Amino acid sequence: AVAIGVATSVFPVLNAVAFRPLGVPSPHAVMRVSQKFDNGLANGWRFGEALGLREQSWRVPLEIWYDLSRVEFATTAGADHPPRINGRLVGGSYFDLLQGRASFGRLLAAADDRPGAPPAVVLSYQFWERYLASDRSAIGRSIWLNGAPFTVVGVTDRTFSDAVDGRPPLWAPIAAWRTIMNGSPPLDRASRTIVSVVARVPDGMTRAQAE
């Protein structure tokens, strides 16, 4: 067990998430980080706990994500009756950890996940085809999520499927939490918001060593 400031009865374990072929390299090494309790496992972590895991896991890369549901999506400001979609907020190294690739443009990076960074968004290839008519000029333009503008910085590779719970249509940085959540309290170490954590076991390391 690794002491990370959570209760001593809790320690992280790695659960395989590669139940199907994934559009990421070496999918068998991609794991969900869960908490082990006396009565079972829990996949969620309080945001502050997840930060502690990420900061103190210096040999095993970890990243945080949070799933969004029913986000209003529009290609113009003030659109009437915009459709609602799902999405995912992710830490700045999420795509690096999954070793994802962009079809064009770029993927999210650490600079996008810093306080005050301009809100950026990456679209899945399939979402870009359906909602933006495969228009490559969409890169650098804005889309609106819950009424707030986000700049499209890239589109994922056609085969990229993410690693957990299916492929979302879009990804935005966790730093954009307050923007997309319409001014809700920020995520900080005292936040009770439950997030999830994903890891990649490095080459040459066993799952037990990673735990």
Side-chain angles (χ1 to χ4, degrees):
V2 180
I4 59 167
V6 298
T8 55
S9 61
V10 179
F11 64 93
V13 297
L14 302 180
N15 285 333
V17 295
F19 298 128
R20 57 188 173 83
L22 298 174
V24 299
S26 303
H28 62 277
V30 177
M31 303 280 176
R32 183 198 296 272
V33 186
S34 304
Q35 300 185 67
K36 185 174 183 180
F37 297 88
D38 292 339
N39 59 350
L41 297 178
N43 288 327
W45 299 80
R46 289 186 182 180
F47 183 69
E49 295 172 340
L51 285 180
L53 277 175
R54 187 175 68 179
E55 292 165 356
Q56 298 190 40
S57 178
W58 56 276
R59 292 188 63 196
V60 179
L62 304 177
E63 196 47 277
I64 299 166
W65 92 87
Y66 177 87
D67 279 336
L68 299 165
S69 62
R70 297 185 58 76
V71 175
E72 291 185 352
F73 161 75
T75 55
T76 58
D80 292 331
H81 309 296
R84 292 181 180 269
I85 61 171
N86 297 328
R88 183 163 290 160
L89 296 180
V90 298
S93 65
Y94 189 82
F95 285 102
D96 285 342
L97 184 149
L98 295 181
Q99 300 175 14
R101 295 183 301 175
S103 281
F104 46 91
R106 65 174 180 85
L107 302 179
L108 296 176
D112 298 305
D113 194 33
R114 293 175 181 156
V121 64
V122 168
L123 308 179
S124 76
Y125 193 95
Q126 292 72 19
F127 184 83
W128 168 74
E129 282 186 314
R130 177 178 178 183
Y131 286 95
L132 280 81
S134 301
D135 183 3
R136 288 183 176 240
S137 69
I139 302 299
R141 294 191 348 222
S142 291
I143 63 172
W144 278 258
L145 303 176
N146 283 345
F150 281 70
T151 300
V152 178
V153 298
V155 174
T156 62
D157 184 80
R158 183 193 296 268
T159 64
F160 182 76
S161 60
D162 209 322
V164 285
D165 302 330
R167 172 176 46 216
L170 56 82
W171 299 259
I174 285 182
W177 169 270
R178 292 194 74 186
T179 301
I180 203 168
M181 302 298 255
N182 292 321
S184 65
L187 288 179
D188 56 28
R189 293 184 186 276
S191 173
R192 301 179 67 86
T193 298
I194 300 298
V195 298
S196 300
V197 180
V198 67
R200 178 179 283 278
V201 178
D203 292 342
M205 180 182 290
T206 68
R207 176 168 154 176
Q209 289 170 332
E211 288 185 352

